Amino acid sequence: MGMSSSPLLRIWKALLLLQFVTGALGWGKEGHYAVCKIAEAYLNEDATAAVKELLPEYADGDLASLCSWADTMNFRYHWSSALHYVDTPDFFCNYDFARDCHDSSGHRYACVTAAIYNYTDQLKSEYHNPGAVTNYNLTEALLFLSHFVGDVHQPLHVGFLGDLGGNTIIVHWYTRKANLHHVWDTSIIESAMKDFYNSDLTTMINSIQSNITDNELPLWGDCEGNQTVCPNVFASESISLACKYAYRNATPGSTLTDDYFLSRLPIVEERVAQAGVCLAATLNRVFASKVQIAESRR
C-alpha cells in the first residue's frame, strides 16, 4: 500500500468529521456509466462475484447502473461533497497530496485521492479479514470507490483552486452558456453522442472500449510498488491534462466550438477508458482470491 495504516486511519476520522462542504459533481451520468461499464468488462471472476454480492438486489448485478450514486448522496451525506475533487494552486500544473488534499475549510484528507485510498482500504480490510469487527458499509464503499475513480480521471476534478476546477469560468458551448467544468463533465460527451454515436451511449462505450489495446491494459491498470490503488498518479495526470487541454483557449466569455470540441474529445474518451481500466484493476486486486494473495507474498 502507498499509505500506512496510521494515515489511513487519520483519513477516515477526518472524513467522518466533515460537514456541509460544497463541491462539483463528476462526469455526468453518461460518463460515469461508461467508466463502470468498461470496468465490468475487465473484472476477473473473483471481483465479478464480489461486486455482484455487494450490489443491492435492484441493481441486478449491474455496477454501471449505480455508478452515479455518489452524486445523489451529496445532500444526504454533506461531508461527501468535497470528496469528488482536489484543487491545486493556480497555474502550478502539478499535484501534491500533502499540499492539496484538503477542503475549502482546510480539513485534511477531504479530497478525491484520500477518498479513493479510504474506500479501497475499507473493502480490502473487510474482504481479507473476515470476521473482523468493523462498521464499514461495504456496498457504499464500493459505490463511492467506483465513482471517485471516475472523478479523479476527469481533468478538471484536479483543476485550479482559483476557479474551482473551471466552475467559475463561464463560456459558451456553441450557443449555450455553461461553465468550463460542466463542459468537461457533460457537454463534450453529450455532443459526441449526438454527432458521432447516433445518441446511443452503448455505441459510444463500445467504440471507446474497442480502442483499448492489449498494451494499454497493464500500462493503465498497474500501480508501482505493489500498491492496491494509486490515485496520486491519476490526479497528476489529470492536472497535466487540465493545463494542456481544458484551460487552454477557454478563457471567460469565450465561445467553444468545433476546434475545441474535436481536439478535446479524444482526451475525454481516453480518460473514460483509463478510468474504467483502473477501476477494474483496483477491484481485481481488492478481491483477489486467497490463493493469489499467498502466491504474491512468496
Side-chain angles (χ1 to χ4, degrees):
M1 290 290 293
M3 301 177 67
S4 68
S5 58
S6 179
L8 284 167
L9 180 60
R10 292 199 299 271
I11 289 171
W12 178 236
K13 289 180 178 179
L15 298 186
L16 287 175
L17 293 173
L18 295 176
Q19 293 182 353
F20 304 109
V21 291
T22 60
L25 302 181
W27 299 110
K29 280 188 175 182
E30 293 83 1
H32 278 294
Y33 185 92
V35 167
C36 283
K37 187 54 70 175
I38 290 169
E40 288 175 344
Y42 297 106
L43 293 177
N44 61 29
E45 185 176 348
D46 290 322
T48 297
V51 167
K52 288 183 176 179
E53 182 179 352
L54 289 176
L55 289 173
E57 286 188 16
Y58 64 81
D60 198 26
D62 183 12
L63 177 62
S65 69
L66 289 177
C67 210
S68 292
W69 172 86
D71 280 339
T72 71
M73 289 293 104
N74 286 338
F75 295 106
R76 179 179 176 186
Y77 297 157
H78 299 289
W79 47 265
S80 72
S81 296
L83 307 185
H84 293 257
Y85 63 94
V86 57
D87 290 326
T88 69
D90 294 3
F91 310 112
F92 276 43
C93 294
N94 62 61
Y95 159 83
D96 180 82
F97 182 87
R99 180 192 69 199
D100 302 329
C101 189
H102 55 80
D103 69 1
S104 58
S105 299
H107 297 107
R108 295 186 66 194
Y109 310 126
C111 80
V112 65
T113 48
I116 290 171
Y117 277 124
N118 177 52
Y119 290 113
T120 300
D121 189 63
Q122 286 188 29
L123 290 168
K124 188 176 179 182
S125 297
E126 185 78 13
Y127 188 76
H128 297 300
N129 296 283
V133 179
T134 67
N135 293 318
Y136 300 147
N137 183 321
L138 299 187
T139 297
E140 291 192 355
L142 171 65
L143 297 181
F144 273 129
L145 174 62
S146 300
H147 187 91
F148 293 149
V149 169
D151 278 349
V152 78
H153 280 82
Q154 204 273 62
L156 286 178
H157 274 254
V158 196
F160 297 155
L161 178 61
D163 54 55
L164 304 180
N167 273 283
T168 65
I169 298 177
I170 305 303
V171 297
H172 279 85
W173 180 249
Y174 293 90
T175 60
R176 293 187 176 182
K177 183 181 285 189
N179 67 64
L180 185 63
H181 189 101
H182 182 80
V183 167
W184 279 76
D185 269 353
T186 303
S187 301
I188 293 175
I189 290 176
E190 287 182 345
S191 294
M193 286 178 57
K194 179 174 178 288
D195 291 352
F196 302 121
Y197 300 110
N198 199 29
S199 297
D200 185 73
L201 181 57
T202 299
T203 302
M204 183 176 188
I205 292 170
N206 290 339
S207 176
I208 292 173
Q209 190 172 335
S210 69
N211 288 321
I212 300 173
T213 68
D214 290 340
N215 291 332
E216 287 169 335
L217 289 173
L219 182 65
W220 292 348
D222 290 349
C223 289
E224 292 185 0
N226 201 31
Q227 297 180 84
T228 304
V229 69
C230 40
N232 292 329
V233 174
F234 313 152
S236 294
E237 293 169 347
S238 280
I239 184 58
S240 177
L241 291 170
C243 288
K244 291 178 181 177
Y245 297 101
Y247 285 117
R248 184 162 294 180
N249 300 323
T251 54
S254 59
T255 297
L256 308 181
T257 56
D258 285 352
D259 287 345
Y260 190 94
F261 170 47
L262 296 175
S263 59
R264 273 58 171 184
L265 177 59
I267 307 303
V268 168
E269 292 192 334
E270 184 174 74
R271 290 306 276 173
V272 168
Q274 289 174 328
V277 170
C278 287
L279 175 57
T282 299
L283 294 176
N284 287 342
R285 288 188 286 266
V286 166
F287 298 120
S289 70
K290 304 299 186 293
V291 174
Q292 290 174 310
I293 295 168
E295 288 179 349
S296 71
R297 290 175 178 171
R298 291 176 183 173

